[in-house]
Amino acid sequence: TTFLIQKIQLLMKERPCQCRSSYRYIFAMVLCTYLILILRMELEPDYNIFLLNFWRWKLHTTNLDSCTFISTKNLLRHTPHSNQDPTQQKPPINDNSIIISVITGSETRFRTTYQQATWANPHDTDNPFNFQNVSFFDENDVAQMKLGMNCQESAAICGRDNPPESHLINRKKKLSWWCFQNRELLVLYHQLIKYPDAQWFFVVNDDTYVNVPALRTKIQAYSATRSACALGDVGHLQFPFLGTHFWTPIIWDGAGVLINRNAANKLLRVVKVNSSRDSGIHNIDRKIPLIQQCILNTRIRNKWCWWHSDWVLSRCLDSAGIGVTSDHSFVQFPRSMIAKTRNISGSIDFNDQSSMKVTEDEKDRIASYCMKKTACHNRKTLKSMMDIHNKLIEEWKVESRFNNY
């Protein structure tokens, strides 16, 4: 931009007539770009997640709260082979102050056994790579919660059997998939109410492996109360060739979303119900928590009805004034990330089932990659989770033997 301005200033001195022509050309280009953006937004509502922010981008980004990072100096590394002086370490985070919620379903409930066999075993008290206090929620659990609905009721409200033409891409989604998309906010709301003294809330999908020691260390690196924090793998939905700066960031919930106490308080802040957005659910208080308003918004026949859970959560956080903080140790698409680093050759077409087949060598590389992360999504088999878990334990044993010498 600076280079362009300098060129225009030079033209103004040398060729004033051409300069005026250049100004008209630049103005026409900017106007055309704006028109293209608006038309694309209207013609492709799937891209119109939050409305374009470019006219209020600076104001928008500065008003959102974000995670407060604490210096990692003298942090206690939550690994059993730590040989640091305990007097110079910060005290470990209390597991009781961390509420972990796994979103599952009746069709995928079997995956919870994979997590219980690796990082979420309720009976393994001595394993440092295990977290005992993990809650699992399927559609039957959610239906019993406040504002809970079964899948059929939720689908009927949004008319998901007859989606609008602009959402044809979603016609092939099963009812259970749509039911899954509404589950996250209800679970989060339930947990925020149930644990008013908890400092951290971690919501994750049932096909994600969580590196428990890394999660504990990650939590210790951020403040629970100084600012509102929503930490995870952040991406953007964007127009082709225009980059990511025009969009509110999206936090991918599959890899897990870590929310602190301050953010929880903002989500529970009481707001006045907008009657124009009444979902048809009557006998509700006129003043409700903001997160409850977000849940009601998903039950109106508008774009909230058709959003993925990532978009719904991100929009709700945005409404509460909470900015999402990107942390690359939460990985939504591990295989795609490895492909970008050229550890796996070739591009991955997620619509092509043949390209989704993973060789044994690729599986080993993915496990080696994921063991260095806090959470790794898309681990849909017991073996894919055990591969990561076993590598972590093997590394721990090697380092323990080394420290003993």
Side-chain angles (χ1 to χ4, degrees), residues 112 213 278 370:
T112 62
D278 194 338
C370 287

Side-chain angles (χ1 to χ4, degrees), residues 56-66 266 320-323:
R56 60 184 181 93
W57 182 70
K58 290 184 180 179
L59 178 64
H60 179 79
T61 54
T62 53
N63 284 345
L64 292 179
D65 214 345
S66 59
K266 285 196 171 189
I322 305 168

